[in-house]
Amino acid sequence: MNLYPVIKPLLFQLQPEQAHGATVAALRLAGCSRLTCWCLQRCFAPRVVPRPVHAFGLTFPNAIGLAAGYDKNAEVVPGLAGLGFGHIEVGTVTPLAQPGNPQPRLFRLVEDRAVINRMGFNNPGGALVAENLVRMKRGRVVIGVNIGKNKLTPNERAAEDYVTLVRQMAPLADYLVINVSSPNTPGLRALQSETVLREILIAAVAERNDRAHDLQKMLPILVKLSPDMPAEGLAGALQAAVDGKVDGVIVTNTTLAREGITSRYQEESGGLSGAPLRERSLAVLKEAVTILNGELPVVASGGVMTAEDARARLDAGAVLVQLYTGLVFLGPGLVRECVERTAREDLY
Ligand SMILES: Cc1cc2nc3c(=O)[nH]c(=O)nc-3n(C[C@H](O)[C@H](O)[C@H](O)COP(=O)(O)O)c2cc1C
């Protein structure tokens, strides 16, 4: 039974960050016993048998994942898994705890079915997130850890932050994502320039390779890119991903563009996600798939608000699809619809 039409008006009465906290609290409760997890799974189970996806050497129970930023601290993975996600990307985590930007920093653009956030990597730091990951009960869901640099780390030393987090998270994650594309850490997106990015990725992959023997696994490393780069910038960043020998690319993060936005919050600074990002993100996905020409798998993120959007991304060449803002406006029923729409026989 889908209760979200009843719950949504209540959540939308709250400030967006409070509403987020309320859903996290509910998922924490739901995820803490076997019985409640089972009930969630029963409620949100797809009505078709989902097709597993094999990518980067991992097996994903289905093609749909939760994008980074919802469960920044890795606190509610079992509850989220109960909603039917095949993978959950926690984080962004930075080496040291940081408070993020002052509130308010999250805005709901109801008319536009969009969100603007300028959270600024608020998180309790790598050590605490690692503790949460150690304690967590793991099921079949694939867990990615999205890693970033601390605000106070100068860009010249950014690679050290990423390497520290690769070392710390490698035993605990199924895959890692190097995030160089959030618009809310000053200067972060400059790390997407080809030469700088290549250096960071080479350092991160070298650290991963050094640890591969001890860990007895080859941990896939992905890089997440912005939708706001000009064509040459995207091509350069993708070349860095190939040269750095990462295992995949995620396109895209949120956008700084505000085209077509009508909400009174349009002047707020931060990254825009949801419906207005749909076309831009799909265009970048298509471009990335064309440029990479099979050299690296591509994960789609951005503007997935319907099952049709998810399907369009697989049709455009994505191996996996992530969503976040769609969950705010449509609730967890969207996950099931996307899983069902991407499990169709004729896709495989
Ligand atoms: C509130 C909020 C916080 C986010 N935080 C992060 C983050 O910490 N790291 C990251 O890589 N992406 C973050 N994102 C971006 C999402 O992971 C996703 O790439 C983006 O929202 C586009 O997908 P969507 O349109 O389905 O939301 C955040 C998005 C939102 C709405």
Side-chain angles (χ1 to χ4, degrees):
M1 196 187 1
N2 185 6
L3 292 177
Y4 201 66
V6 181
I7 295 167
K8 182 177 155 183
L10 303 174
L11 284 175
F12 277 33
Q13 292 287 314
L14 302 174
Q15 291 300 316
E17 202 163 340
Q18 280 182 319
H20 174 259
T23 61
V24 168
L27 284 170
R28 187 179 292 117
L29 209 62
C32 69
S33 91
R34 274 201 193 163
L35 178 66
T36 47
C37 279
W38 179 82
C39 289
L40 265 190
Q41 276 161 12
R42 284 296 300 263
C43 274
F44 293 102
R47 288 154 292 196
V48 297
V49 181
R51 289 290 179 121
V53 175
H54 304 286
F56 341 111
L58 301 174
T59 300
F60 295 76
N62 63 58
I64 306 301
L66 177 63
Y70 179 85
D71 188 7
K72 284 184 186 274
N73 308 346
E75 292 174 302
V76 288
V77 169
L80 288 165
L83 303 183
F85 287 111
H87 69 282
I88 291 157
E89 196 168 300
V90 304
T92 295
V93 187
T94 55
L96 302 174
Q98 57 179 39
N101 290 320
Q103 295 190 28
R105 53 192 178 178
L106 186 57
F107 305 89
R108 226 185 261 122
L109 286 67
V110 178
E111 305 86 329
D112 303 299
R113 293 204 303 157
V115 161
I116 290 177
N117 93 81
R118 52 167 179 269
M119 306 300 287
F121 290 171
N122 53 311
N123 80 103
L128 212 133
V129 172
E131 264 179 44
N132 289 346
L133 287 166
V134 169
R135 270 204 306 262
M136 172 190 306
K137 286 186 228 96
R138 281 165 186 255
R140 281 178 67 221
V141 71
V142 173
I143 301 172
V145 180
N146 181 304
I147 60 178
K149 78 163 192 74
N150 276 115
K151 183 177 176 183
L152 295 179
T153 304
N155 272 10
E156 304 73 60
R157 303 195 66 174
E160 293 171 34
D161 277 11
Y162 290 104
V163 167
T164 300
L165 287 162
V166 171
R167 196 177 309 129
Q168 193 164 38
M169 298 300 162
L172 304 167
D174 294 317
Y175 71 89
L176 294 178
V177 179
I178 309 271
N179 181 7
V180 281
S181 49
S182 288
N184 304 312
T185 295
L188 190 81
R189 286 180 162 195
L191 303 178
Q192 294 179 113
S193 88
E194 185 175 345
T195 40
V196 178
L197 186 57
R198 186 183 292 114
E199 220 169 276
I200 289 173
L201 298 181
I202 286 173
V205 168
E207 180 64 27
R208 186 272 312 266
N209 292 350
D210 283 351
R211 302 192 52 77
H213 181 71
D214 289 350
L215 292 171
Q216 307 228 315
K217 67 175 180 186
M218 193 47 95
L219 176 76
I221 295 185
L222 282 62
V223 58
K224 184 168 177 180
L225 301 175
S226 128
D228 298 334
M229 281 186 280
E232 326 80 72
L234 176 65
L238 293 172
Q239 189 57 49
V242 172
D243 295 344
K245 297 194 167 52
V246 295
D247 302 276
V249 174
I250 304 182
V251 285
T252 67
N253 213 313
T254 54
T255 181
L256 289 172
R258 295 290 186 266
E259 284 136 38
I261 301 298
T262 56
S263 161
R264 65 193 164 104
Y265 293 118
Q266 60 181 290
E267 300 294 330
E268 295 292 346
S269 64
L272 175 77
S273 56
L277 183 55
R278 176 193 281 138
E279 294 313 318
R280 197 180 187 99
S281 191
L282 180 59
V284 176
L285 168 69
K286 287 179 176 169
E287 214 172 325
V289 168
T290 306
I291 293 172
L292 288 168
N293 194 23
E295 277 195 88
L296 290 176
V298 185
V299 176
S301 160
V304 173
M305 308 296 283
T306 64
E308 238 16 83
D309 292 336
R311 172 72 196 235
R313 274 137 184 85
L314 290 193
D315 289 344
V319 283
L320 295 164
V321 179
Q322 299 185 332
L323 56 89
Y324 182 166
T325 305
L327 212 53
V328 174
F329 288 94
L330 295 141
L334 176 63
V335 184
R336 174 164 72 184
E337 284 169 23
C338 289
V339 170
E340 289 174 351
R341 189 73 182 94
T342 54
R344 289 263 306 275
E345 206 61 47
D346 52 358
L347 263 182
Y348 293 90

